Amino acid sequence: SESEKSKEPVAEKGKVELTISAAASLKDAMDVIQASYEDEHPEVTLTFNFGGSGSLQQQISQGAPVDLFFSAAEDKFDLLVAEGMITKDNSIDLLGNELVLIVPEEDTTIKSFSDLTKENVSKISIGTPEIVPAGAYGKEALETMNLWNEVESNIVYAKDVRQVLSYVETGNVSAGIVYKTDALLTDKVKIIATAEADTHTPIIYPVGIINDSKNYDATKEFYEYLQSDETIEIFEDYGFTAQ
Amino acid sequence: MDSLLNSIFSEAFLSPIWVSLKIAIIAGIIVILIGTVAARFFARKQFRGKAVIETLLMLPMVLPPTVVGFFLIVIFGKNSWAGQAITWLFDRPIIFTWWAAVIAAIVVAFPLMYQSAKSGFLAMDRDIENAARVDGASEWKIFFFISIPLASKALISGSILSFARALGEFGATLMFAGNIPGETQTLPIAIYIAIDSGNMVMAWLWVIAIVTLSFLMLLAVRVKE
Amino acid sequence: MDSLLNSIFSEAFLSPIWVSLKIAIIAGIIVILIGTVAARFFARKQFRGKAVIETLLMLPMVLPPTVVGFFLIVIFGKNSWAGQAITWLFDRPIIFTWWAAVIAAIVVAFPLMYQSAKSGFLAMDRDIENAARVDGASEWKIFFFISIPLASKALISGSILSFARALGEFGATLMFAGNIPGETQTLPIAIYIAIDSGNMVMAWLWVIAIVTLSFLMLLAVRVKE
Amino acid sequence: MANLKLQQLTKVYNKNEIAVKDFNLDIKDKEFIVFVGPSGCGKSTILRMVAGLEDITHGELFIDNQKMNDVSSKDRDIAMVFQNYALYPHMTVYQNMAFGLKMRKQTKTEIERRVNEAAAILGLKPFLHRKPAALSGGQRQRVALGRAIVRDANVFLMDEPLSSLDAKLRVQMRSEIISLHSRLQTTTIYVTHDQTEAMTMATRLVVLNHGQIQQIGTPKEVYEQPVNVFVAGFIGSPAMNFFSGSLTASGLKIGDQYIPIPAGLLPQNSSQDIIIGVRPEDMYIESATPMFHTEIEAVELLGADTMINAGLGDQPFTARIPSSIAIEPGQTLPLSIHLNRMLFFDSQSKNRIF
Amino acid sequence: MANLKLQQLTKVYNKNEIAVKDFNLDIKDKEFIVFVGPSGCGKSTILRMVAGLEDITHGELFIDNQKMNDVSSKDRDIAMVFQNYALYPHMTVYQNMAFGLKMRKQTKTEIERRVNEAAAILGLKPFLHRKPAALSGGQRQRVALGRAIVRDANVFLMDEPLSSLDAKLRVQMRSEIISLHSRLQTTTIYVTHDQTEAMTMATRLVVLNHGQIQQIGTPKEVYEQPVNVFVAGFIGSPAMNFFSGSLTASGLKIGDQYIPIPAGLLPQNSSQDIIIGVRPEDMYIESATPMFHTEIEAVELLGADTMINAGLGDQPFTARIPSSIAIEPGQTLPLSIHLNRMLFFDSQSKNRIF
Ligand SMILES: Nc1ncnc2c1ncn2[C@@H]1O[C@H](COP(=O)(O)OP(=O)(O)OP(=O)(O)O)[C@@H](O)[C@H]1O
Ligand SMILES: Nc1ncnc2c1ncn2[C@@H]1O[C@H](COP(=O)(O)OP(=O)(O)OP(=O)(O)O)[C@@H](O)[C@H]1O
Ligand SMILES: [Mg+2]
Ligand SMILES: [Mg+2]
């Protein structure tokens, strides 16, 4: 496929438009990075397609014209690697994230994960483990902390992390487990505790170049830019951890 | 083959079907009733601000379902007036219950019934209602014995659309009623999760189930054509 | 205040409105056209398997939109016959294009137009068509000059519903057309993303925009009542 | 079983189309009033106002001395035959007729009795279980009539209830309606275009034109003493012949034809120019001392009678003679007029002067 | 401008309701055929089959010798007045009439000319821009008529086109249709319940009953020589009187009344029991040598004529006498019958024997 790409008259001096499918949770950080990158590379236009990692993966595997995939779920990413859409060499586990316990802003009853088993805790929301990575990690962490069996009956499964946030923001659940980066998006919830790193498999945000990319060189350049120190700092500002 | 049969008769497979059926039927009936009444009312009355009210009724169609769901949890949530009233009445909040799914389905299906029914009431020959009026029928009796049968084609189409919409309701339900297996996990939610998590066998079985339900519904109203 | 005005006249704010309008109008027109023709055809013909076909046409209503989107990317995907034909013709896949959003909107809005229009064609006095037939009108002219005006109430209600549905379409579009600002990022998607990333000011502005559009649409068809 | 008072009743459509104007009519209990008038003169509109189906633009309507302008149709206790039938398309013939009785909470057996009785009278027995769409035009009209007559309402309103029936059935239905009225004595307003119905059924006939009353009177009065040219020409079929002529001391001049008439049969104190009205049946063939001779232009055989068209002083007229006399166009006939049945109208006001 | 051949035409609704049965009729080019028959006898159904709006169950329809059973309505070049009008509710009166012309690609000026001409004839000029819903019943019917007459179709089908018009307008419209026919010579089938129309318009009259032809003939033939009791009783208004009686060598016995009749005016070779038909206008008051005396039961004044109901040998009858003779119920009158106009029917088959 490398030879095929070289046949492409890669926009030498002309405009290049890169399409990047990225997990919705990366949006704010990516907006900042996009601005600075386009300043530095006026010939490049970055088009972001934000969505759920699962949808993004299905789109790519059905041939969507994407240059770069930035996933919030390692398993979805691995599916594309397995399909041969992404080569290991052109991918990297770029970011990490932390799992936090959040409660409504004014709540005072819950102070730690173990408080989830208290009598007066009604509902706890996590993402649906089968489809929301944060939910899967949350379930795993609760299991490791031996709280799962006790709280399972109180769990409300959400379609995505945003939904967990909405529930907590509106006080309709007593607590929720989300990524730290998501919790920072709203000031109507407060972070009570962070799950220890050893309670769950590491949270990884892999990024990789799609083999079918028609702008391989420009993509590669951006891919490398993402790994630069100043970029990583931006991500860290938004709560991500460098991998 | 055996495993397929096992899946089909498993609680896990059947549960979303029952949940969906129950919710769609109850929501469908409620929507058909209030949609028909509201449509007849609005079809016959002209007043200022009618367009504004009708726009509000149409809102659930144009907003993303998740946003509709978000409004619902705000309106019926525990900090709202309605939410507190419900908690006080039933000793528990409505959110995450089976009734929440019914409400979500009602809200999204209502505009379909309303618009269809209204077109039926507008299109009909008013002199037949007049004949009933002369025959001594009260407005309610005219509504039941004359207007509804005369607008039946439009009402049936509205019912089909509303029931289908209630059966297929997904985004708002997921937000307002949550995804609680056996309680609020409807067929569309189950299908979504199955596909997203790559469980294509279950996904297809459920798709077949929902297609069958739709087919049976269409057959049921067919007699009237 | 200034910043609010700035937001309103910013490209970022206006772009989803244009995108949505363009998509909803084009999809709406296409749906109205083919929905009306299909409805008239099915309203007048009785044949075996009609219920099956009608069920299939209803499917986009009962399936979660994301699943509809999933089917669309499979149908038009790189491994399908249709997908390959399109790639060969246009030198790029249809997914992520503006046309993909139009197709998604068409698919989900079609059942609404179809059902409404059919009820209109079924309810109407056939002898008026007969009069036109005797007057020498071809079937197409009868369709245009007689059937459509006579079923106008039902067609308008179908058009309102379809346009609203196309305008509000979210799940299938997000899946099939992606979320590409200025190209496929429609109002519902923009609202969803704005809420998702906590940008409530933009979210509310867009909600107001979509409500205004719906209101204008209802006003536009009002004249006919 | 009710009296009606229509006072200055006026109906204006779309702000400027006057359909009925200052209509005044007192209808006594048990009367059978027949409305006649040309197409579009406002007959149905009045009926619809009385029934409460059309707003009254001005004026007042009283039923049994109670003002009814704002009373709903259902509380007026009226039974109506709609001109366009307005049958319930989703109900069978039986259900169509039973509906009003059901609404007024009659018992099931009573409903059955009455509907079956009406169906028998109307010849609808074989169709009781059909829907209106599967009926012929005349059958539908009979259902519409049946729906009214099963009710014992206070007032019957019938808008051309027999127009789609064949002559034989119409005669039969006419006498059924008459006997129904003499049995129930229900105050009735009946609209018809049929001269025979108008003449035979009415206790009083109301002749309308352009939404206004021309004459009210018994059929005999209206036929024999029409107030103006319009009424004279409208009532009677074939229509009255009108000649413009001039009065002389001892007769009439019509064109170049002079007709001597005894002074007592001529109007006095009238201007010289005059319109003379002669009914077709008041002309006859008289070989002995004919008033005039005329050449027959056309002959129309109508079964019992023959209509002949000819001219008198260059003015065309129609005369009715028995079919037993064979007549050919082109033939010249000696004709006379029954002098005592001639009518005279003012040529300006068109009102009758003698 | 076309001939029609209806061969064994049969229409069965819902598998077992026979509306028309083995209907055979050859209509020559330029003929004006009138259908009459009781309500529900199948007149409209035949028209609708000819127009192609109703499937033909059995039999064949030819227009200009071409089989038409499966030809679409639009290719039959027929203009039709529907019994229920079937106006285009969304079009103005003008557009309603213009539609057929537009479909046949007439020029705009030609359309305008024809529509305006028809509107003038029909008195619809003031309503050209109204929709049908804002018209009176008679106005609607005229629009339906106008929609047909603006077209110069091959065949005109008119289903009671004048039933909702007042007598005066009806006479006027009737003569307009007659003059239209004599101008365009379009083959026409015309359904009517109006005896006058039937008698005056038809080149041939078709009398139907229960979906079957009873008699075909000129109006005069049908009126004077009806083939059976049904036709005799159906044509003529008021209807023919029928008496059952028995034949003797030199006369008739009706009840206890004996009527001597010259042998030449009596049927030969007939069974003794017989039905005698006498039209109301064939009875007359004769003081000199009356055939019988009878007591008047009821008197009905109809303008020019008076109908009297009485009995002959206990069998009721109606007679028509001039209104100029004043008659009261209860009075006894000397009556005679025009012997040469009596009709005789077999009491079994009901067919006319003399
Ligand atoms: N759709 C139908 N289904 C069953 N029977 C029908 C249908 N249409 C008409 N008929 C029957 O067929 C017979 C003939 O009907 P048609 O309309 O031809 O009568 P017609 O002679 O025109 O009567 P009219 O003078 O009352 O209009 C009637 O008895 C009627 O009840
Ligand atoms: N909705 C309407 N809008 C405007 N004009 C109307 C409307 N309805 C009736 N008219 C007019 O009012 C007049 C009276 O109508 P109406 O129906 O009372 O006449 P009618 O005497 O019953 O005539 P017909 O004998 O033809 O039935 C007509 O000239 C008609 O055109
Ligand atoms: Mg009328
Ligand atoms: Mg008929």
Side-chain angles (χ1 to χ4, degrees):
Chain A
S1 67
E2 194 65 19
S3 56
E4 255 177 65
K5 246 161 252 134
S6 52
K7 277 187 237 147
E8 293 279 337
V10 175
E12 295 92 350
K13 285 278 157 260
K15 275 269 184 190
V16 186
E17 195 180 321
L18 297 185
T19 306
I20 295 133
S21 279
S25 52
L26 294 163
K27 178 163 193 297
D28 289 342
M30 288 309 260
D31 282 348
V32 178
I33 292 164
Q34 178 184 17
S36 60
Y37 189 79
E38 284 179 350
D39 271 354
E40 284 174 38
H41 301 83
E43 81 284 0
V44 178
T45 313
L46 298 179
T47 302
F48 284 96
N49 175 42
F50 293 107
S53 302
S55 299
L56 299 177
Q57 170 258 314
Q58 279 164 342
Q59 289 167 342
I60 292 166
S61 94
Q62 290 300 329
V66 173
D67 299 299
L68 191 75
F69 180 34
F70 200 158
S71 172
E74 205 180 3
D75 56 340
K76 303 294 181 200
F77 191 85
D78 289 347
L79 281 176
L80 291 182
V81 174
E83 279 177 32
M85 303 289 295
I86 295 175
T87 9
K88 263 279 170 234
D89 299 343
N90 279 329
S91 67
I92 182 170
D93 293 346
L94 188 63
L95 299 176
N97 211 335
E98 288 171 310
L99 208 55
V100 297
L101 178 65
I102 55 171
V103 296
E105 204 188 351
E106 68 277 14
D107 181 271
T108 50
T109 52
I110 298 172
K111 304 235 160 29
S112 67
F113 276 101
S114 49
D115 286 348
L116 293 178
T117 58
K118 280 191 182 167
E119 282 278 302
N120 56 353
V121 173
S122 58
K123 292 281 183 194
I124 302 157
S125 183
I126 65 172
T128 307
E130 293 92 337
I131 60 172
V132 185
Y137 294 127
K139 180 179 176 190
E140 187 186 1
L142 290 173
E143 280 169 344
T144 316
M145 292 183 247
N146 287 320
L147 299 170
W148 179 251
N149 289 336
E150 268 177 88
V151 301
E152 187 180 0
S153 58
N154 285 335
I155 297 284
V156 173
Y157 298 104
K159 173 167 145 282
D160 48 38
V161 168
R162 175 68 230 174
Q163 210 172 326
V164 178
L165 279 180
S166 297
Y167 290 154
V168 179
E169 280 174 354
T170 56
N172 282 300
V173 298
S174 307
I177 298 175
V178 296
Y179 289 147
K180 182 178 165 199
T181 53
D182 296 314
L184 293 176
L185 285 176
T186 165
D187 47 15
K188 296 203 199 82
V189 304
K190 59 185 177 193
I191 298 174
I192 292 299
T194 304
E196 298 294 336
D198 58 4
T199 56
H200 57 83
T201 34
I203 301 167
I204 284 170
Y205 285 64
V207 59
I209 301 173
I210 308 298
N211 286 337
D212 288 344
S213 169
K214 293 185 176 172
N215 306 300
Y216 180 78
D217 294 337
T219 312
K220 181 86 177 175
E221 204 174 329
F222 181 63
Y223 171 71
E224 271 153 13
Y225 179 81
L226 284 177
Q227 300 172 39
S228 66
D229 286 349
E230 68 252 52
T231 316
I232 297 293
E233 263 172 43
I234 296 174
F235 281 124
E236 282 173 341
D237 286 348
Y238 282 91
F240 294 97
T241 54
Q243 206 53 33
Chain B
M1 197 58 215
D2 255 15
S3 80
L4 195 67
L5 279 181
N6 281 341
S7 319
I8 289 177
F9 292 107
S10 70
E11 176 59 22
F13 171 73
L14 293 175
S15 150
I17 299 182
W18 296 138
V19 171
S20 259
L21 253 187
K22 238 174 23 177
I23 291 173
I25 289 176
I26 297 206
I29 290 173
I30 295 177
V31 163
I32 290 168
L33 294 181
I34 59 175
T36 306
V37 172
R40 161 71 187 242
F41 179 79
F42 280 97
R44 292 285 183 271
K45 283 251 162 23
Q46 297 301 335
F47 54 87
R48 256 171 184 288
K50 185 174 156 190
V52 176
I53 297 181
E54 290 197 305
T55 309
L56 292 180
L57 295 177
M58 290 292 290
L59 270 196
M61 289 212 63
V62 292
L63 292 180
T66 324
V67 176
V68 175
F70 179 76
F71 282 135
L72 285 175
I73 63 174
V74 171
I75 293 170
F76 292 100
K78 79 168 195 182
N79 297 324
S80 79
W81 176 91
Q84 278 162 1
I86 288 170
T87 311
W88 181 80
L89 269 174
F90 299 102
D91 207 26
R92 61 161 300 181
I94 193 164
I95 186 169
F96 305 142
T97 64
W98 186 82
W99 276 106
V102 171
I103 290 179
I106 289 175
V107 167
V108 295
F110 179 81
L112 301 174
M113 187 66 205
Y114 172 75
Q115 280 293 339
S116 301
K118 202 178 93 175
S119 83
F121 290 129
L122 284 177
M124 120 195 158
D125 179 359
R126 301 287 300 277
D127 244 11
I128 296 168
E129 287 185 343
N130 278 337
R133 212 159 273 137
V134 171
D135 257 349
S138 65
E139 290 305 307
W140 272 106
K141 287 200 170 139
I142 291 175
F143 181 52
F144 280 117
F145 295 123
I146 310 292
S147 315
I148 287 182
L150 287 187
S152 65
K153 298 278 191 294
L155 295 179
I156 287 175
S157 111
S159 307
I160 291 176
L161 290 176
S162 321
F163 181 78
R165 186 70 188 81
L167 190 62
E169 167 41 28
F170 170 66
T173 307
L174 198 45
M175 188 82 176
F176 185 40
N179 164 23
I180 304 178
E183 173 94 13
T184 65
Q185 193 183 72
T186 60
L187 267 173
I189 295 177
I191 292 172
Y192 174 79
I193 291 174
I195 288 190
D196 214 64
S197 61
N199 188 348
M200 292 312 283
V201 174
M202 282 305 261
W204 275 113
L205 286 177
W206 276 321
V207 166
I208 291 169
I210 207 166
V211 169
T212 310
L213 288 184
S214 319
F215 182 72
L216 292 177
M217 168 192 68
L218 282 182
L219 271 196
V221 297
R222 227 174 155 85
V223 280
K224 287 286 289 181
E225 227 171 68
Chain C
M1 196 58 218
D2 256 13
S3 79
L4 196 67
L5 279 181
N6 281 341
S7 321
I8 288 177
F9 292 107
S10 71
E11 175 61 23
F13 171 71
L14 293 174
S15 150
I17 300 182
W18 297 137
V19 170
S20 258
L21 254 185
K22 235 172 31 175
I23 291 174
I25 288 176
I26 296 207
I29 290 173
I30 296 176
V31 163
I32 290 168
L33 293 181
I34 59 177
T36 307
V37 172
R40 162 71 187 243
F41 178 80
F42 279 98
R44 293 287 182 269
K45 285 251 155 41
Q46 298 298 336
F47 54 88
R48 254 169 186 289
K50 185 173 154 188
V52 176
I53 296 181
E54 291 197 304
T55 309
L56 292 179
L57 295 177
M58 290 292 289
L59 265 197
M61 288 213 64
V62 292
L63 292 179
T66 321
V67 174
V68 174
F70 174 75
F71 282 137
L72 284 175
I73 62 174
V74 172
I75 291 170
F76 290 99
K78 66 169 185 186
N79 298 322
S80 81
W81 176 90
Q84 279 161 0
I86 286 169
T87 312
W88 181 80
L89 270 175
F90 299 103
D91 204 28
R92 63 157 299 174
I94 194 163
I95 184 170
F96 284 1
T97 63
W98 185 83
W99 277 106
V102 171
I103 291 177
I106 289 175
V107 166
V108 296
F110 179 82
L112 302 173
M113 188 68 207
Y114 172 76
Q115 281 293 340
S116 300
K118 202 178 96 174
S119 83
F121 291 130
L122 284 176
M124 118 196 159
D125 178 359
R126 299 287 300 276
D127 243 10
I128 296 171
E129 287 185 343
N130 279 338
R133 212 159 272 137
V134 171
D135 256 348
S138 65
E139 289 305 307
W140 273 106
K141 288 202 169 137
I142 292 174
F143 180 53
F144 281 117
F145 295 123
I146 310 294
S147 316
I148 287 183
L150 286 187
S152 64
K153 296 278 191 294
L155 295 178
I156 287 176
S157 113
S159 307
I160 291 176
L161 291 175
S162 322
F163 181 79
R165 186 71 187 80
L167 190 63
E169 165 43 27
F170 170 66
T173 308
L174 191 50
M175 190 75 179
F176 185 40
N179 163 24
I180 310 218
E183 176 91 7
T184 65
Q185 192 185 70
T186 60
L187 269 173
I189 293 177
I191 292 171
Y192 174 78
I193 298 281
I195 292 184
D196 206 58
S197 56
N199 190 346
M200 292 313 281
V201 174
M202 283 304 264
W204 275 112
L205 286 178
W206 277 321
V207 166
I208 292 170
I210 207 166
V211 169
T212 310
L213 287 184
S214 320
F215 181 70
L216 292 178
M217 167 192 70
L218 282 183
L219 271 196
V221 298
R222 227 172 154 81
V223 281
K224 288 285 288 180
E225 229 171 64
Chain D
M1 282 163 293
N3 63 63
L4 273 85
K5 200 186 184 85
L6 287 64
Q7 243 173 22
Q8 300 283 114
L9 227 53
T10 297
K11 176 74 196 181
V12 182
Y13 285 110
N14 308 328
K15 303 236 155 56
N16 54 24
E17 282 154 24
I18 302 174
V20 175
K21 199 173 161 193
D22 294 339
F23 194 94
N24 286 303
L25 182 65
D26 272 7
I27 302 177
K28 288 185 285 292
D29 191 14
K30 303 178 188 171
E31 267 202 296
F32 197 107
I33 296 286
V34 173
F35 281 5
V36 294
S39 174
C41 70
K43 306 178 294 294
S44 302
T45 304
I46 296 170
L47 254 53
R48 293 173 65 89
M49 285 193 284
V50 173
L53 305 179
E54 208 75 72
D55 285 339
I56 295 172
T57 313
H58 299 301
E60 292 175 329
L61 167 73
F62 296 88
I63 299 179
D64 276 337
N65 306 320
Q66 278 202 298
K67 187 165 166 187
M68 284 283 153
N69 288 42
D70 300 318
V71 173
S72 132
S73 294
K74 90 177 215 299
D75 300 321
R76 298 191 186 189
D77 197 10
I78 278 173
M80 176 159 174
V81 181
F82 286 69
Q83 187 171 12
N84 60 354
Y85 316 156
L87 302 180
Y88 309 125
H90 56 295
M91 299 185 192
T92 63
V93 169
Y94 183 94
Q95 291 165 333
N96 261 280
M97 295 203 268
F99 187 77
L101 299 173
K102 246 191 219 154
M103 289 304 111
R104 303 202 183 257
K105 306 238 180 307
Q106 303 286 339
T107 64
K108 235 186 130 125
T109 45
E110 174 67 7
I111 293 177
E112 228 176 282
R113 193 186 61 72
R114 290 213 215 166
V115 172
N116 282 321
E117 193 187 61
I121 290 176
L122 298 165
L124 289 174
K125 281 244 163 189
F127 312 114
L128 281 177
H129 295 289
R130 283 220 203 140
K131 300 248 174 90
L135 295 178
S136 81
Q139 287 160 353
R140 286 180 208 179
Q141 191 167 47
R142 280 178 276 159
V143 179
L145 184 55
R147 197 167 58 173
I149 65 173
V150 292
R151 302 248 323 267
D152 51 4
N154 256 334
V155 181
F156 275 157
L157 303 177
M158 303 194 173
D159 202 346
E160 301 187 35
L162 309 178
S163 63
S164 297
L165 304 183
D166 56 280
K168 203 172 165 182
L169 193 56
R170 194 181 300 195
V171 171
Q172 211 174 307
M173 289 305 121
R174 191 193 341 149
S175 65
E176 290 294 349
I177 292 175
I178 292 173
S179 81
L180 185 83
H181 181 253
S182 69
R183 207 167 67 239
L184 300 181
Q185 304 271 322
T186 310
T187 313
T188 303
I189 307 182
Y190 188 99
V191 173
T192 184
H193 286 315
D194 187 299
Q195 300 270 341
T196 316
E197 285 171 28
M199 297 306 286
T200 56
M201 301 176 93
T203 53
R204 280 193 299 161
L205 200 57
V206 177
V207 186
L208 282 157
N209 195 21
H210 292 309
Q212 287 180 300
I213 292 182
Q214 301 294 316
Q215 184 165 7
I216 307 179
T218 63
K220 202 172 147 80
E221 274 165 21
V222 172
Y223 190 81
E224 297 181 351
Q225 300 158 41
V227 295
N228 56 26
V229 171
F230 173 81
V231 175
F234 191 79
I235 301 289
S237 176
M240 183 181 276
N241 300 298
F242 294 104
F243 303 98
S244 20
S246 52
L247 273 182
T248 66
S250 60
L252 284 172
K253 229 176 126 55
I254 297 174
D256 49 12
Q257 185 82 42
Y258 177 75
I259 301 177
I261 297 179
L265 295 177
L266 282 181
Q268 310 297 322
N269 312 327
S270 126
S271 69
Q272 221 188 351
D273 284 347
I274 210 165
I275 297 172
I276 303 112
V278 181
R279 294 207 181 271
E281 68 269 20
D282 292 336
M283 298 177 126
Y284 56 96
I285 301 177
E286 193 187 27
S287 322
T289 54
M291 282 187 191
F292 60 96
H293 284 84
T294 187
E295 189 186 316
I296 306 305
E297 284 157 19
V299 176
E300 214 174 50
L301 181 81
L302 292 183
D305 304 301
T306 300
M307 297 296 154
I308 54 173
N309 295 324
L312 167 56
D314 279 345
Q315 298 182 43
F317 69 90
T318 302
R320 193 178 87 170
I321 57 171
S323 292
S324 43
I325 307 170
I327 290 165
E328 292 295 315
Q331 197 176 335
T332 297
L333 273 188
L335 286 176
S336 280
I337 300 173
H338 288 296
L339 291 185
N340 58 341
R341 299 172 71 96
M342 271 184 167
L343 299 176
F344 300 93
F345 303 88
D346 186 281
S347 65
Q348 293 301 308
S349 68
K350 313 278 194 238
N351 289 335
R352 188 165 62 87
I353 47 180
F354 192 71
Chain E
M1 282 162 294
N3 63 63
L4 274 86
K5 201 184 183 85
L6 286 65
Q7 243 173 23
Q8 300 283 114
L9 228 52
T10 298
K11 176 75 198 179
V12 182
Y13 285 110
N14 307 329
K15 301 234 156 54
N16 55 23
E17 282 154 25
I18 302 174
V20 176
K21 199 173 162 192
D22 294 339
F23 193 92
N24 285 304
L25 183 64
D26 273 6
I27 302 178
K28 288 187 284 292
D29 190 14
K30 304 178 188 172
E31 267 201 297
F32 196 108
I33 297 285
V34 173
F35 282 6
V36 294
S39 175
C41 71
K43 304 178 295 295
S44 301
T45 305
I46 296 171
L47 254 52
R48 293 173 65 88
M49 285 194 284
V50 172
L53 305 180
E54 209 73 73
D55 285 338
I56 293 171
T57 313
H58 299 301
E60 291 174 331
L61 167 73
F62 295 88
I63 299 180
D64 276 336
N65 307 318
Q66 279 203 295
K67 187 165 166 187
M68 285 283 153
N69 289 41
D70 300 318
V71 173
S72 130
S73 293
K74 91 176 214 299
D75 300 320
R76 297 190 186 189
D77 196 11
I78 279 173
M80 176 159 175
V81 182
F82 287 70
Q83 188 170 12
N84 60 355
Y85 318 154
L87 301 181
Y88 309 126
H90 56 296
M91 298 186 194
T92 62
V93 169
Y94 183 94
Q95 290 165 334
N96 262 280
M97 296 204 269
F99 186 77
L101 298 173
K102 246 190 220 155
M103 289 303 111
R104 302 204 183 258
K105 305 237 183 306
Q106 303 287 339
T107 63
K108 236 187 131 128
T109 45
E110 175 68 6
I111 293 177
E112 230 177 281
R113 193 185 62 72
R114 290 211 215 167
V115 172
N116 282 322
E117 193 185 62
I121 291 175
L122 297 165
L124 288 175
K125 282 243 163 190
F127 312 114
L128 280 177
H129 295 288
R130 284 218 202 139
K131 300 249 173 89
L135 295 178
S136 81
Q139 288 160 352
R140 285 180 208 178
Q141 190 167 48
R142 281 178 275 160
V143 178
L145 183 56
R147 198 168 57 176
I149 64 172
V150 292
R151 302 246 327 264
D152 50 1
N154 257 334
V155 180
F156 276 156
L157 304 177
M158 304 194 175
D159 202 346
E160 303 187 35
L162 309 179
S163 62
S164 296
L165 304 184
D166 55 281
K168 204 172 163 182
L169 194 55
R170 194 182 298 195
V171 171
Q172 209 174 308
M173 290 303 120
R174 191 194 338 149
S175 65
E176 290 292 349
I177 293 175
I178 292 174
S179 82
L180 186 83
H181 182 253
S182 69
R183 206 167 67 237
L184 300 181
Q185 304 272 322
T186 310
T187 313
T188 304
I189 307 182
Y190 188 100
V191 173
T192 184
H193 285 316
D194 186 300
Q195 298 270 342
T196 316
E197 286 171 28
M199 297 306 286
T200 56
M201 300 176 93
T203 54
R204 280 193 299 162
L205 201 55
V206 178
V207 185
L208 284 155
N209 195 21
H210 292 308
Q212 285 180 301
I213 291 182
Q214 301 295 316
Q215 185 166 4
I216 307 179
T218 63
K220 203 173 148 81
E221 274 165 23
V222 173
Y223 191 80
E224 295 180 352
Q225 300 158 40
V227 296
N228 56 26
V229 170
F230 174 80
V231 175
F234 191 78
I235 301 288
S237 174
M240 184 180 276
N241 299 298
F242 295 104
F243 304 97
S244 17
S246 52
L247 273 181
T248 66
S250 60
L252 285 172
K253 230 174 122 55
I254 297 175
D256 49 13
Q257 186 81 42
Y258 177 75
I259 300 177
I261 295 180
L265 295 177
L266 281 181
Q268 312 296 324
N269 314 326
S270 127
S271 68
Q272 219 189 351
D273 284 347
I274 209 164
I275 296 172
I276 302 111
V278 180
R279 295 209 180 268
E281 68 268 21
D282 292 336
M283 298 177 127
Y284 57 96
I285 301 178
E286 194 187 24
S287 322
T289 54
M291 283 185 189
F292 60 97
H293 285 84
T294 185
E295 190 186 314
I296 306 307
E297 284 158 20
V299 176
E300 213 174 52
L301 180 81
L302 291 182
D305 305 302
T306 301
M307 298 295 155
I308 54 173
N309 295 324
L312 168 57
D314 279 345
Q315 298 180 43
F317 69 89
T318 302
R320 192 178 87 169
I321 57 170
S323 292
S324 43
I325 306 171
I327 290 166
E328 293 293 314
Q331 199 176 333
T332 298
L333 271 188
L335 285 176
S336 280
I337 298 173
H338 288 297
L339 291 184
N340 58 342
R341 300 173 70 97
M342 273 184 165
L343 299 176
F344 300 92
F345 304 89
D346 186 282
S347 66
Q348 293 302 309
S349 68
K350 312 277 194 237
N351 289 335
R352 188 164 62 87
I353 47 180
F354 191 70

